Amino acid sequence: MNFLNEVASRYPEAISFASGRPYEGFFDTALIQEYLETFARYLRDEKGCNDAQVNQIIFQYGRTKGIIHELVARQLACDEEMLVDPEAIVVTVGCQEAMFITLRALRRDERDILLAVSPAYIGITGGAQLVDMPVWPVRSGPSGIDLDDLAAQVRQARKAGLRPRACYVMPDFANPSGVSLTVQLRRDLLALAASEHILLLEDNPYGLFHDGVHLPTLKALDTSRQVVYLGSFAKTGFPGARVGYAVADQRVAADDGSVSLLADELAKLKSMVTVNTSAVAQAVVGGKLLRHDLSMAAANQRETAVYLGNLKHLLAWLGQRVPDGDGSWNCPAGGFFVVVTLPFAADDKLLERSAREYRVLWTPMSHFYASGEGLRQVRLAYSQLTPELIETGLDRFAAFVADQGHDVAGRGR
Ligand SMILES: Cc1ncc(COP(=O)(O)O)c(C=O)c1O
């Protein structure tokens, strides 16, 4: 990612399909004040706080598990039909901290490993590296996860004396693949996780950006506390707030025989990493939730329309500009990403050339694999662009692909 940022900074005039950042057209600093005041009013009116208490909650150090846990639980009920105990929620500094402390909690010694559907988001593989937890890739296949491979990896790990603790998966509009799991596959995955006694780490920052068909999350289908749900307000709120959360309702036995929630174990770790998530940031996100009747789907109607419009535009323009032999691509029904398969290897060197000579940026898919796969694939993110930029960017991308394809064909003759 440092390399991608570095290339982007060297070619500022390049149109970037590289970064999965949210659309900026509706950002407005006046909203921050409005949301903050909405949250303060909620503390007074709904929670019965006086002015001194409101000031204390927003200005002071705060509860480690967060101050908007009840609002998050209400949002999950409203948007996802997920009924969760607010006490099982830990509000974190972005989803990244939720991933990190969850992995840290799961990693007891060198026998513990993480399984992750491959290609995988770099935040999870990076987090696992930080806690010294090897990541074993699980094939995704065309459906998003190959359950036979998952079962085989679990067996193989156990045979080697290792403990597969959890499998990381993105059932909705995965980053980077854009793929979503069918409801049946979600149910089968839950059944397999239960029979193999592994947790599922469900990461879902993009699920609300759908075209009207909203599938149940794994956590909504989870009847045996098999799923730790990793949430982010980076895309539905805004990334500058750095607010995410974990729903960890698993029961954990302590050495003294007492039983607590995994969320409480995560909170202990969090207290040693970030103490608590910024109360100001939580208040702003909480205010946004309150302003939209606890629905991030409602809060993001305009953004969702932008993303779906951009996706439609991107797919149509790819069809017009990239001839059959030059590439193929998947067609997700939402999210931020489309994957294009090319007839040549699209590596970092070619990205540099694409930026320099064609002024267009994309992400090599090989970055999301552990070893040598995805070489002919690139990820295109369309969330931050306008239809005009998508057209110009894809004209440039198509020219790059055609010229590169001819160079490769020429060398082969
Ligand atoms: C797969 C995935 N998980 C989580 C996140 C969000 O993390 P955070 O809330 O830390 O910004 C992202 C953002 O890019 C992501 O793509």
Side-chain angles (χ1 to χ4, degrees), residues 17 313 317 321 386-396:
F17 291 99
H313 212 72
W317 212 254
R321 288 294 187 271
T386 59
E388 296 72 35
L389 284 171
I390 288 174
E391 285 178 20
T392 312
L394 284 187
D395 285 346
R396 295 176 185 181

Side-chain angles (χ1 to χ4, degrees), residues 232-246:
S232 172
F233 290 114
K235 312 296 150 101
T236 55
F238 58 99
R242 304 302 304 128
V243 178
Y245 59 94

Side-chain angles (χ1 to χ4, degrees), residues 65-276:
K65 287 203 286 186
I67 57 172
I68 59 167
H69 52 303
E70 292 173 14
L71 300 180
V72 174
R74 284 162 65 184
Q75 184 251 325
L76 290 174
C78 178
D79 285 331
E80 306 285 359
E81 294 182 23
M82 245 161 81
L83 300 180
V84 303
D85 174 2
E87 284 302 318
I89 294 174
V90 186
V91 184
T92 52
V93 181
C95 183
Q96 189 61 35
E97 190 192 24
M99 290 183 192
F100 178 74
I101 57 177
T102 303
L103 293 171
R104 188 65 196 82
L106 294 179
R107 200 267 187 207
R108 285 182 305 218
D109 63 41
E110 65 287 346
R111 287 168 298 175
D112 295 316
I113 65 157
L114 176 72
L115 301 162
V117 175
S118 179
Y121 175 55
I122 283 161
I124 195 75
T125 42
Q129 221 171 13
L130 269 187
V131 303
D132 254 339
M133 201 171 183
V135 181
W136 283 34
V138 173
R139 272 201 298 269
S140 54
S143 59
I145 183 167
D146 178 338
L147 294 188
D148 291 338
D149 192 48
L150 173 57
Q153 297 299 334
V154 170
R155 268 197 308 274
Q156 205 178 317
R158 289 196 174 129
K159 227 166 118 186
L162 302 172
R163 282 190 304 242
R165 300 299 309 276
C167 178
Y168 170 84
V169 57
M170 290 190 66
D172 293 283
F173 312 127
N175 179 9
S177 70
V179 173
S180 297
L181 309 189
T182 63
V183 178
Q184 189 54 52
L185 192 49
R186 290 170 201 233
R187 291 190 194 283
D188 294 345
L189 172 59
L190 281 163
L192 179 62
S195 67
E196 291 292 351
H197 306 290
I198 57 166
L199 289 173
L200 297 172
L201 307 185
E202 177 179 28
D203 186 11
N204 185 23
Y206 305 102
L208 289 183
F209 304 117
H210 57 78
D211 65 355
V213 180
H214 188 31
L215 303 182
T217 63
L218 290 174
K219 190 69 192 157
L221 299 170
D222 179 24
T223 51
S224 54
R225 299 174 194 249
Q226 214 70 45
V227 179
V228 175
Y229 186 84
L230 302 166
S232 172
F233 290 114
K235 312 296 150 101
T236 55
F238 58 99
R242 304 302 304 128
V243 178
Y245 59 94
V247 180
D249 56 2
Q250 290 70 24
R251 296 191 199 286
V252 186
D255 289 341
D256 64 3
S258 63
V259 174
S260 62
L261 288 175
L262 177 59
D264 294 311
E265 299 304 307
L266 300 187
K268 282 183 204 157
L269 294 166
K270 178 177 171 60
S271 74
M272 289 177 267
V273 185
T274 54
V275 182
N276 62 254

